[in-house]
Amino acid sequence: MATKVDPITLDIIENALKNARFEMDGVVVRISLSPVIREQHDEFPMICNERGQMVVGQFGSYIPSVVEKFGGNVNEGDIFVWNDPYASKGSISHNNDWCVMLPIFHEKVLVGFSSIFGHMVDVGGSVPGSMPADARTIWEEGLRVPPVKIYDKGVLNQGVLDIMLNNSRTPDMNRADLMALIAGCKTAATRVRELCDRFGRETYMTACDMLLDRTREAMRQVIRKYIPEEPVSFTDYVDDDGLGNGPFKMTLTISRRGDIAVFDWTGTDDQAEGPINFHIHEGLCKLFFGVYMIMSFDPSVLFNEGFYDLFEIVLPEGSLLNPRFPAALSNRLNTHTRFFDCQAGALGKFVPQLSMAAGYGTSPHFIFSGTDKDDKYFQLMELLFGGVPGRPKGDGFDGHAWWPLFSATPIEYIENYYPVLVERYMPIQDSGGPGLHRGGAGIEKVYRMLAAGKVSIHDDREVVPPWGINGGLHGGTSSKWVIKAGEETPERIPSKIDNLKVEPGDRVVFKTAGSGGWGDPLDRDAATVARDVRYGLVSRDQAENAYGVVLTAQNLPDEAASATLRKKAKEKRGEPPAFDFGYSPPDRQAS
């Protein structure tokens, strides 16, 4: 007779697994050394069942292919590591991500897997940070390690570790971060074994299957309700590939066939010459669509892989989202985040009241490397944030990460460990798209260098603005500037650049993009607009011209004048557009 799990036991196991997943985070950030993982939390854990399906976590899909590669030779005490996107079928998407996988045994029976991947500061390659803006092949982007055992039945493979660390400019940080990932996976294994001891192994394994089934049924209902039978398409663009090519079109068509949601990327441009290609695993693609739908339509649903058979994915070979080896991949986040914008746009045509606008559209990087006054090599890498889009529930977040658990590197940390001062860190006025719900603002960060070195910058949304939805207007674009020591006139630099030489006293001004607004800005509460003006998020000009709000000398709304202005503005404009792109290439699909 099949094992039965009562609802209370199921809830206890579910929440215990959630807690174990967050405990993995806590262990990793306590042990790691790099600011990218320790301070910004660029690591993604998960706990899987014995078949390799993610039960709790953020990223999944890759365990079965790794197990298959080893022909089932998976033993207690084994720990696997890899970072090659092509050799792992896109389970991770650039060489900087080192992935660790640990099989979990209970009384010599395989009951699951724990896994984490995290971004390493440097894995070799042609430039510090291992993400060259002008790479044409993956060979230029650092060491590639296929899935190998770094521990074999509990014994460290020192040779593998030595090779991985010998190919990095930051071996000490990489070693600490790798051991942190391993410790996080071991922590999860301990918690899973404790659950098996407490409730019985069969009960635990059955509960995992029930959690997957419950998510599948919830997603089936979401698909039925929110995915249209008739196809809807949407197109957005990546600015460029770092080599002067672009913009690059990404086209997504969504439809439903019974209970099956179809996500078709046919029409997306061919793979780029530069490193913005996103080699995405089909299962990972399903995961990205699933997490967006859960967060948009029913956040109470447990995020796991139970719904995968309800999704059908079309990824044209040789395209930006399914490039052929050895296409460069290091700056794929410019494409990755546009993935979500396309999904929001397509669903926005079918359920506009539940969709959101476009965001800052990448994961901006700032990398500063050189030798300090003690002749010691340093390499600062920081992810910056931008405007998170306006949404049905309210305004977008100002200077926030796309990834929910990411946080900004504390300025005190940067200034304490690296020869740099942060002179300014603030939202950019008028960068949030006007709307009933304002788009989040981009941020301006000014770095003053205290040592000579080289800077790399990777960003996007400099050419193609983040669009607004349901009458909301597009947000502001990004820009980068350098101000030489002793001068005050800034010089504009590209959004993707490597080996920018800097000297002590030079300043780099990094401005990220904002995001699109949601809903008619002429309907936004006038007092809220006035508050945003007082906070410096909106200018008086934008308050009047975009929101129709006339302000007094004290930046309070003049109610009568505002009502008159808004009435005239609505009559002149007519019905607001469904989308406001702020950019019109010939093939823009706006209808």
Side-chain angles (χ1 to χ4, degrees):
M1 183 180 294
T3 301
K4 301 287 185 180
V5 181
D6 64 85
I8 294 176
T9 301
L10 183 64
D11 280 352
I12 292 172
I13 291 175
E14 176 188 358
N15 284 285
L17 287 173
K18 287 180 181 179
N19 289 338
R21 171 251 180 278
F22 285 110
E23 188 179 1
M24 293 169 77
D25 281 325
V27 169
V28 169
V29 300
R30 285 199 301 272
I31 297 174
S32 59
L33 282 182
S34 75
V36 179
I37 292 181
R38 185 179 185 85
E39 301 297 332
Q40 300 209 272
H41 303 178
D42 192 349
E43 45 84 24
F44 300 88
M46 67 173 183
I47 301 173
C48 304
N49 65 9
E50 78 280 5
R51 297 184 299 279
Q53 295 171 287
M54 184 183 74
V55 181
V56 295
Q58 292 170 276
F59 284 78
S61 310
Y62 49 80
I63 303 296
S65 63
V66 174
V67 174
E68 180 184 358
K69 175 181 172 62
F70 284 84
N73 181 21
V74 176
N75 308 293
E76 191 161 6
D78 289 350
I79 300 178
F80 300 78
V81 68
W82 66 90
N83 80 322
D84 186 340
Y86 290 106
S88 61
K89 300 182 180 180
S91 63
I92 41 93
S93 52
H94 71 162
N95 295 352
N96 289 80
D97 288 336
W98 284 8
C99 192
V100 170
M101 182 191 86
L102 184 155
I104 304 173
F105 288 83
H106 178 259
E107 297 175 346
K108 301 188 183 306
V109 176
L110 180 68
V111 294
F113 297 86
S114 58
S115 183
I116 313 177
F117 71 84
H119 184 107
M120 299 294 145
V121 171
D122 189 280
V123 294
S126 60
V127 299
S130 312
M131 296 182 289
D134 60 354
R136 288 174 167 83
T137 68
I138 198 169
W139 303 112
E140 303 157 67
E141 298 175 340
L143 178 72
R144 293 166 47 230
V145 179
V148 294
K149 291 185 181 182
I150 193 166
Y151 280 86
D152 190 347
K153 298 181 181 178
V155 178
L156 173 67
N157 188 331
Q158 188 66 45
V160 168
L161 180 61
D162 289 347
I163 290 171
M164 296 177 74
L165 299 181
N166 193 57
N167 282 272
S168 170
R169 297 173 179 86
T170 58
D172 292 343
M173 281 190 177
N174 285 29
R175 188 186 193 285
D177 289 359
L178 175 60
M179 293 305 160
L181 300 180
I182 291 172
C185 287
K186 288 183 175 181
T187 298
T190 297
R191 297 295 173 254
V192 168
R193 284 193 289 268
E194 289 172 350
L195 286 171
C196 291
D197 288 340
R198 179 180 178 185
F199 295 104
R201 184 168 59 243
E202 294 302 323
T203 297
Y204 170 77
M205 296 171 76
T206 300
C208 288
D209 288 343
M210 291 174 66
L211 292 174
L212 292 168
D213 291 341
R214 191 177 67 185
T215 295
R216 184 187 187 279
E217 176 58 24
M219 182 61 74
R220 189 185 67 81
Q221 296 183 36
V222 169
I223 289 171
R224 280 280 185 178
K225 187 173 183 179
Y226 296 115
I227 300 295
E229 288 189 291
E230 290 298 317
V232 292
S233 297
F234 191 85
T235 294
D236 207 342
Y237 297 82
V238 180
D239 284 355
D240 66 273
D241 66 350
L243 293 171
N245 307 307
F248 287 84
K249 177 176 66 173
M250 292 177 61
T251 296
L252 173 64
T253 301
I254 297 177
S255 61
R256 179 171 61 82
R257 188 179 63 251
D259 288 338
I260 306 300
V262 181
F263 300 88
D264 187 347
W265 289 101
T266 299
T268 295
D269 277 345
D270 292 342
Q271 65 190 64
E273 181 183 12
I276 62 166
N277 302 292
F278 187 21
H279 181 54
I280 185 172
H281 185 285
E282 180 180 314
L284 201 57
C285 194
K286 292 179 179 180
L287 180 146
F288 291 144
F289 284 126
V291 70
Y292 183 93
M293 292 178 64
I294 287 172
M295 297 307 294
S296 296
F297 304 132
D298 191 352
S300 66
V301 176
L302 177 65
F303 179 51
N304 61 37
E305 293 187 23
F307 58 80
Y308 274 25
D309 66 322
L310 299 176
F311 283 9
E312 181 180 311
I313 306 296
V314 180
L315 293 166
E317 186 179 0
S319 71
L320 204 60
L321 291 170
N322 190 9
R324 298 184 180 92
F325 179 83
L329 308 174
S330 58
N331 291 318
R332 84 286 182 232
L333 277 172
N334 300 302
T335 303
H336 185 180
T337 45
R338 203 70 79 255
F339 185 106
F340 298 115
D341 290 336
C342 286
Q343 187 175 1
L347 291 173
K349 292 184 177 183
F350 184 65
V351 280
Q353 73 280 9
L354 294 177
S355 193
M356 64 180 184
Y360 64 102
T362 183
S363 189
H365 286 72
F366 173 82
I367 300 169
F368 176 38
S369 61
T371 303
D372 64 17
K373 59 182 175 60
D374 298 320
D375 202 32
K376 182 179 178 182
Y377 178 76
F378 65 86
Q379 186 175 311
L380 166 64
M381 177 183 168
E382 182 181 19
L383 295 104
L384 284 83
F385 307 141
V388 174
R391 58 221 161 96
K393 188 176 181 178
D395 293 349
F397 300 129
D398 304 316
H400 200 278
W402 261 116
W403 316 109
L405 299 180
F406 275 23
S407 59
T409 306
I411 291 173
E412 296 83 356
Y413 181 96
I414 295 173
E415 295 182 342
N416 191 45
Y417 288 103
Y418 299 97
V420 63
L421 290 176
V422 177
E423 291 192 340
R424 186 159 63 249
Y425 183 53
M426 61 184 293
I428 301 171
Q429 189 177 71
D430 293 344
S431 60
L436 173 66
H437 299 149
R438 178 179 55 79
I443 56 125
E444 177 181 351
K445 198 162 193 174
V446 180
Y447 302 87
R448 181 187 290 272
M449 311 306 166
L450 303 181
K454 294 180 179 180
V455 167
S456 290
I457 286 173
H458 307 131
D459 201 3
D460 206 71
R461 287 285 191 206
E462 182 180 70
V463 175
V464 183
W467 41 265
I469 193 171
N470 298 333
L473 305 183
H474 67 272
T477 53
S478 66
S479 64
K480 313 292 172 288
W481 309 80
V482 62
I483 306 172
K484 304 303 290 184
E487 299 180 6
E488 293 299 327
T489 303
E491 174 189 347
R492 189 155 187 170
I493 55 177
S495 65
K496 301 171 182 67
I497 187 172
D498 287 317
N499 296 319
L500 174 68
K501 292 184 178 180
V502 291
E503 300 293 336
D506 290 352
R507 286 172 286 170
V508 173
V509 181
F510 200 129
K511 296 184 178 183
T512 64
S515 58
W518 191 99
D520 191 346
L522 296 176
D523 290 334
R524 185 172 175 82
D525 177 60
T528 304
V529 175
R531 179 207 64 189
D532 287 348
V533 171
R534 294 193 299 272
Y535 286 176
L537 297 169
V538 172
S539 67
R540 289 176 63 94
D541 284 345
Q542 190 181 74
E544 186 167 331
N545 296 324
Y547 290 98
V549 174
V550 180
L551 299 173
T552 66
Q554 293 75 35
N555 285 333
L556 297 173
D558 183 327
E559 300 289 354
S562 298
T564 300
L565 179 59
R566 286 182 157 187
K567 181 179 179 181
K568 290 181 179 179
K570 286 186 175 184
E571 291 173 351
K572 181 179 180 180
R573 181 199 63 195
E575 192 68 23
F579 297 92
D580 175 59
F581 293 106
Y583 177 78
S584 299
D587 53 2
R588 166 69 81 180
Q589 297 182 25
S591 62

